[in-house]
Amino acid sequence: MEKRDENISAMCRPAVGEAGRTGDWRTVRPVIDPTRCIPAVKRKSACFLCWLYCPEGVVKATIPVEIDLDYCKGCGICAEECPAKAIQMVREDQSDE
Amino acid sequence: MPENLFKINSKEYILPGSRACQGCGLSLFYRYALKALRENTIVTLPACCLCVLQGLYPSTPVMVPALNNSFASTAASASGLVAGLRALNKADTTVVAIAGDGATFDMGIQALSGAAERGTDFIYVCYDNEGYMNTGTQRSSATPMGALTTTTPILTKQQPKKDFLKIMEAHNIAYIATASPSYPLDLYDKFVKAKKIRGTRYIHIHVPCPPGWVYPPKDTVKMGRLAVETGLFPLFEIENGKFRFTGRSKTQAERGNRLPVINYLEKQGRFRKMDAEQLSQFQSMVDAKWDEYLRKTEG
């Protein structure tokens, strides 16, 4: 990636947030309830279906599960697929609590 | 969750903040395909939704080299890449051509057929979102019967979908598979397998598209799952001419618990103009196709 080929004039470089902060496309944002989230409750690597099905790859498969809200587009797939119903989609103009 | 979830390559090859739509099935499939293919991969793609995801010059969210082509020349450019890599003695690099259904079923078929006939050593992936979604939902030959598109806005599409897998089967290539982003582990396994096989490999992905199919973005995974569970898009692979069902479709073929197609059709706005007659026709078409596949597993 570092070397530049003189013969190629239009070559892109990898960058985070190529389309800007895509988080502002969102009308609803995911909020995780740690008392229901399976990895947080069991304190071990388990489930992670939100990580598996996130099209953007903004969910981190860690304990507790983290979502990068700068780039989360708010599609809501994680909330749909969560078997424990631990993710709520909250309207952007409302606070978490 | 099964432990094979943790066998998946944990590295991400798509950085956050891509240009894909909310809840895009394509970016979900692309994420797992790149995880399975790992480094030493070159992607070649035509003008399609994928080239939107790849972003604008001078930056891209994708970590593998990708080449943008004209619409009809995806497979031809892959042939060139394979030849070039062989000349440079880099045979361990996998060339992957990824095109949409418009660029495969309609425009790219000539170059793809040529490359398959020559047995070019590459993976061709068709992500089938059943229309020209990038340019605003026009009808393609992959659009199913009864779907509303911007070029079939009144009577809906009257003709059934082209059976492209049969065309690819007739080329007698090394590996053919279907996969769905709603079953990412199955998709991952198929790409890992395809990377090891030599010769032309063809993988067909059924990609749900929220704006084109008219359903809320949160249902993308459900929609792909319903397509598999209704038998509309069975998951299978054909290795050296031998057909076998995989994953969810395999258990369905064994147990015979297929859902009616209406479950899938009623959730999408594009099928809202379908009448009862078209619906029964659609169901019998899916049934006939499913029976054909069942016969193939037996024989």
Side-chain angles (χ1 to χ4, degrees):
Chain A
M1 293 283 169
E2 291 304 309
K3 260 197 278 177
R4 196 167 182 100
D5 189 337
E6 294 297 319
N7 300 314
I8 303 171
S9 54
M11 193 169 86
C12 292
R13 280 159 189 280
V16 176
E18 186 274 324
R21 286 159 78 99
T22 48
D24 57 18
W25 296 11
R26 211 165 49 213
T27 51
V28 284
R29 81 170 164 269
V31 177
I32 304 175
D33 178 359
T35 61
R36 299 176 88 167
C37 178
I38 294 167
V41 172
K42 287 193 174 169
R43 291 170 199 280
K44 64 171 190 182
S45 293
C47 184
F48 291 144
L49 287 185
C50 47
W51 167 82
L52 186 76
Y53 287 116
C54 179
E56 297 304 312
V58 293
V59 180
K60 273 203 198 90
T62 51
I63 307 167
V65 174
E66 282 170 26
I67 298 177
D68 186 350
L69 286 176
D70 278 353
Y71 297 109
C72 166
K73 291 172 187 166
C75 63
I77 291 176
C78 51
E80 276 301 299
E81 296 304 319
C82 178
K85 304 252 175 298
I87 304 176
Q88 286 289 321
M89 298 307 284
V90 179
R91 277 184 64 108
E92 276 294 326
D93 51 9
Q94 283 168 4
S95 64
D96 289 3
E97 271 76 40
Chain B
M1 197 58 214
E3 57 283 357
N4 57 5
L5 180 60
F6 302 102
K7 273 197 271 178
I8 282 187
N9 181 9
S10 60
K11 195 176 166 197
E12 298 286 346
Y13 294 87
I14 303 181
L15 299 167
S18 71
R19 250 163 236 274
C21 302
Q22 263 186 343
C24 178
L26 168 64
S27 45
L28 189 54
F29 132 67
Y30 199 35
R31 207 183 133 208
Y32 284 97
L34 291 184
K35 271 174 185 282
L37 296 167
R38 296 174 187 252
E39 286 83 10
N40 279 348
T41 300
I42 294 181
V43 178
T44 170
L45 58 138
C48 58
C49 291
L50 186 61
C51 99
V52 175
L53 194 149
Q54 298 279 353
L56 298 181
Y57 181 74
S59 54
T60 173
V62 182
M63 301 283 278
V64 297
L67 187 73
N68 285 287
N69 289 299
S70 67
F71 234 136
S73 64
T74 321
S77 82
S79 302
L81 283 172
V82 171
L85 287 166
R86 199 167 52 204
L88 291 170
N89 223 350
K90 288 182 180 171
D92 57 338
T93 306
T94 315
V95 177
V96 190
I98 307 181
D101 55 296
T104 306
F105 285 54
D106 297 345
M107 280 173 268
I109 183 166
Q110 185 267 339
L112 172 58
S113 180
E117 187 268 327
R118 292 189 297 271
T120 309
D121 183 18
F122 79 126
I123 305 176
Y124 191 98
V125 183
C126 168
Y127 66 92
D128 180 5
N129 48 22
E130 308 190 326
Y132 288 89
M133 298 316 186
N134 182 30
T135 46
T137 330
Q138 285 87 356
R139 166 205 193 279
S140 90
S141 54
T143 309
M145 190 180 71
L148 286 170
T149 62
T150 47
T151 42
T152 55
I154 296 157
L155 285 177
T156 72
K157 194 192 171 194
Q158 301 291 302
Q159 302 80 11
K161 181 173 180 157
K162 190 193 271 182
D163 192 350
F164 202 77
L165 282 151
K166 221 172 201 171
I167 298 177
M168 288 319 290
E169 232 186 298
H171 285 85
N172 282 327
I173 54 177
Y175 185 70
I176 298 174
T178 63
S180 167
S182 302
Y183 297 90
L185 301 175
D186 178 74
L187 191 148
Y188 183 84
D189 289 346
K190 280 170 180 165
F191 272 90
V192 169
K193 195 174 197 176
K195 192 180 162 93
K196 287 181 195 144
I197 297 170
R198 292 274 82 87
T200 307
R201 292 86 91 191
Y202 176 78
I203 303 180
H204 195 107
I205 319 275
H206 193 245
V207 168
C209 168
W213 295 11
V214 198
Y215 67 85
K218 68 180 167 62
D219 290 337
T220 294
V221 173
K222 277 190 179 155
M223 219 49 82
R225 202 175 283 148
L226 274 172
V228 172
E229 286 181 343
T230 54
L232 188 94
F233 187 81
L235 303 174
F236 61 80
E237 55 186 16
I238 305 172
E239 218 179 331
N240 298 322
K242 224 177 129 41
F243 178 96
R244 85 184 178 92
F245 277 121
T246 61
R248 183 83 187 103
S249 291
K250 195 179 172 192
T251 53
Q252 276 184 307
E254 282 159 3
R255 293 187 196 143
N257 55 347
R258 210 150 41 87
L259 296 174
V261 187
I262 179 90
N263 293 22
Y264 169 76
L265 302 178
E266 70 184 3
K267 293 202 170 57
Q268 296 173 31
R270 63 174 175 156
F271 291 117
R272 66 180 174 272
K273 277 198 177 174
M274 256 182 138
D275 50 31
E277 192 201 337
Q278 260 184 328
L279 198 80
S280 65
Q281 223 178 324
F282 203 107
Q283 179 70 58
S284 53
M285 228 154 54
V286 172
D287 290 347
K289 199 75 221 159
W290 182 265
D291 289 341
E292 193 187 313
Y293 286 137
L294 278 183
R295 276 200 301 280
K296 270 194 197 170
T297 38
E298 284 158 13

